[in-house]
């Protein structure tokens, strides 16, 4: 074999080796998708209609820093608001950044609630951020974010 | 589906804000789990909860399968008068359960 051809050959094998694994990975990722799959970006768009919610200290999100079991992660959200007919929290949205379906819950409140508060337990597939978005009666969107480390994933 | 509606604390004065807890017995299937024969179990989750006080809608919770199995939901309610608190819980297969409790502030 001539030297020139030999070097060409090395180049081709190196190229194919680098391309192949990425093709295989793409096929592997495709297989399991949630039936209600919705990415974090799309969920955010559906909630705020394109607006970017402002991070605010008025909204408090309590979540564990490390969740040993991703199938049960307790979450508490409370928003500072007088909850009168003129000024109240309309909705509290709970979403996660990496779950197949990033939506968790939408809570529609009324002034009769007295306090803007919602608590539940959610599933997290892996370590990610949990985001709470509150829509106020004047149309503003407030948000709070907290990252949760998950030891064992809880989505199937 | 069994549902438990709880009001905390047990005694409260007129105008106090109480916690309303809802606990349901439900599998909350994500649609990603497989059964013994390696077939996917279809999604099955609670997607609609409505809370009424004397037939007036107070709170709606729209949920997805990302809520844990045997879900727990908690909201607040201002007990400004006596009345009946009612919760209607529906899942994506159309099953609906209704549960009631009374609001009775002391004094």
């Amino acid at each position: 074999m001539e030297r020139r051809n030999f070097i060409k050959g090395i180049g081709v094998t190196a190229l194919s080796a680098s391309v192949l694994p990425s093709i295989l990975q793409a096929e592997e990722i495709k297989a399991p998708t949630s039936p209600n799959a919705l990415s974090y970006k799309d969920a955010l768009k559906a909630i705020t209609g394109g607006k970017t919610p402002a991070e605010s200290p008025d909204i408090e999100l309590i979540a564990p820093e490390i969740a040993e079991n991703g199938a049960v992660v307790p979450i508490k959200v409370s928003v500072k608001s007088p909850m009168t007919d003129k000024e109240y929290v309309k909705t509290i949205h709970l979403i996660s950044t990496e779950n197949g379906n990033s939506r968790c819950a939408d809570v529609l409140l009324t002034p009769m609630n007295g306090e803007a508060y919602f608590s539940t337990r959610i599933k997290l597939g892996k370590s990610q951020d949990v985001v709470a978005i509150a829509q106020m009666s004047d149309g503003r969107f407030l948000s709070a974010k907290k990252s949760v480390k998950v030891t064992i994933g809880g989505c199937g | 589906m069994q549902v438990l509606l709880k009001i905390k604390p047990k005694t409260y004065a007129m105008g106090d804000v109480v916690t309303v807890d809802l606990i349901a017995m439900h599998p909350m299937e994500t649609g990603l789990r497989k059964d013994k024969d390696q077939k996917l179990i279809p999604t099955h989750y609670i997607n609609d909860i409505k809370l009424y006080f004397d037939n007036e809608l107070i709170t709606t919770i729209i949920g997805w399968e990302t809520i844990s199995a045997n879900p727990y939901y908690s909201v607040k309610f201002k007990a400004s008068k006596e009345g009946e608190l009612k919760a209607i819980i529906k899942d994506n297969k159309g099953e609906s359960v209704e549960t009631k409790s009374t609001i009775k502030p002391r004094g």
Side-chain angles (χ1 to χ4, degrees):
Chain A
M1 194 188 280
E2 277 180 31
R3 187 169 172 269
R4 188 173 294 171
N5 286 346
F6 177 70
I7 289 168
K8 254 190 207 166
I10 287 174
V12 168
T13 46
L15 196 73
S16 60
S18 64
V19 167
L20 267 176
S22 68
I23 293 169
L24 285 176
Q25 272 173 4
E27 272 175 6
E28 268 173 326
I29 291 165
K30 230 189 260 170
T33 47
S34 165
N36 290 327
L38 193 80
S39 72
Y40 170 66
K41 264 190 187 171
D42 290 342
L44 201 64
K45 220 180 191 179
I47 291 165
T48 63
K51 288 183 200 167
T52 28
E55 284 211 15
S56 164
D58 284 352
I59 166 165
E60 193 183 8
L61 173 64
I62 301 169
E65 263 175 43
I66 297 169
E68 274 185 26
N69 183 2
V72 184
V73 183
I75 305 282
K76 268 183 203 172
V77 186
S78 56
V79 188
K80 266 187 210 162
S81 166
M83 293 303 269
T84 56
D85 284 337
K86 277 186 184 168
E87 194 186 349
Y88 64 100
V89 179
K90 258 188 176 172
T91 41
I92 295 175
H93 303 272
L94 204 59
I95 50 180
S96 57
T97 51
E98 302 281 340
N99 272 0
N101 178 6
S102 65
R103 293 167 298 186
C104 294
D106 298 339
V107 188
L108 313 170
L109 302 169
T110 57
M112 285 178 83
N113 281 102
E115 255 175 61
Y117 168 89
F118 178 62
S119 170
T120 190
R121 299 187 287 234
I122 64 168
K123 290 176 204 157
L124 292 176
K126 54 182 167 182
S127 300
Q128 56 188 291
D129 289 352
V130 176
V131 182
I133 297 172
Q135 187 185 8
M136 317 302 273
S137 50
D138 56 6
R140 280 183 304 145
F141 286 102
L142 306 178
S143 80
K145 197 187 243 184
K146 190 134 196 235
S147 81
V148 179
K149 270 194 185 136
V150 177
T151 325
I152 305 164
C155 279
Chain B
M1 183 174 21
Q2 280 178 310
V3 179
L4 196 71
L5 180 67
K6 244 184 175 179
I7 293 158
K8 285 194 283 189
K10 270 185 182 167
T11 55
Y12 41 89
M14 200 77 89
D16 276 4
V17 174
V18 294
T19 309
V20 179
D21 284 356
L22 263 171
I23 300 161
M25 296 296 282
H26 202 280
M28 301 296 274
E29 286 295 345
T30 56
L32 300 171
R33 266 168 19 107
K34 283 175 182 165
D35 61 8
K36 276 185 232 156
D37 309 324
Q38 295 301 306
K39 272 188 186 166
L40 284 175
I41 305 169
T43 48
H44 188 201
Y45 59 97
I46 293 171
N47 56 1
D48 185 24
I49 298 169
K50 285 196 166 73
L51 207 62
Y52 296 90
F53 179 67
D54 283 350
N55 290 323
E56 197 177 340
L57 184 66
I58 315 164
T59 309
T60 309
I61 303 169
I62 301 162
W64 279 276
E65 71 281 10
T66 41
I67 305 273
S68 304
N70 299 335
Y72 157 83
Y73 308 89
S74 171
V75 290
K76 300 274 185 187
F77 174 68
K78 194 171 184 180
S80 49
K81 58 175 181 179
E82 269 189 44
E84 187 188 59
L85 202 65
K86 184 172 78 177
I88 298 174
I89 293 145
K90 286 176 189 163
D91 70 12
N92 68 330
K93 288 189 176 171
E95 196 186 342
S96 173
V97 175
E98 197 181 297
T99 171
K100 283 174 189 171
S101 184
T102 45
I103 292 281
K104 210 174 177 186
R106 114 187 103 74

